[in-house]
Amino acid sequence: EGNTRALKLVIENEQIVVTEKYPVVGSFEEDYNRCVEPHLQDKSCCYFLMRLDTQSQGKYDWLLIHWAHDSAPIRQKMLIASSKSAVRKQFGDGDIKDEITGHVKDDLLHDGYVKHETSKKAPKPFTDSELELQAIKEEERLIAQNS
């Protein structure tokens, strides 16, 4: 784990197989595209496990990347999608701190990951009734404040 930055996993004969292993060369940001981009091929599906630079309980945190190109064969997409829980379980679910799925290359390049991280931190959208309730509470607060 200490020198491994990324693992590429595929499904072969209905088994999860590591087909590539990349060492740590630079920071997570520097290594991300080097490890992932060459494997984002049309008509293909795979997983990547990318080691983050953060640690929890003395162990490195990992990112699970799920690639299923839009034009990949349906059976291949189904096999890769149905094996995600097995990948998490085999690797150690507690060590995987985040996951991202992509169907087109831009989804999974480093910029796509940065957008994913930004969207996780954005406020959650509100329903109309939640917005109304917020407005009522704000009005009540202003009335109480002016009394």
Side-chain angles (χ1 to χ4, degrees), residues 88-143:
R88 292 184 75 95
K89 186 176 179 180
Q90 275 186 343
F91 187 75
D93 199 29
D95 296 333
I96 297 173
K97 298 303 176 201
D98 196 8
E99 67 179 65
I100 183 171
T101 299
H103 303 285
V104 295
K105 196 173 187 176
D106 287 345
D107 292 344
L108 294 184
L109 293 179
H110 188 260
D111 289 345
Y113 176 68
V114 170
K115 288 177 186 173
H116 164 77
E117 285 293 293
T118 303
S119 71
K120 285 188 345 185
K121 295 173 186 168
K124 305 291 183 232
F126 293 103
T127 64
D128 288 341
S129 59
E130 289 171 324
L131 290 171
E132 282 181 45
L133 184 59
Q134 279 184 339
I136 291 168
K137 286 182 179 181
E138 180 62 19
E139 279 184 45
E140 289 173 348
R141 187 187 66 77
L142 290 172
I143 291 170

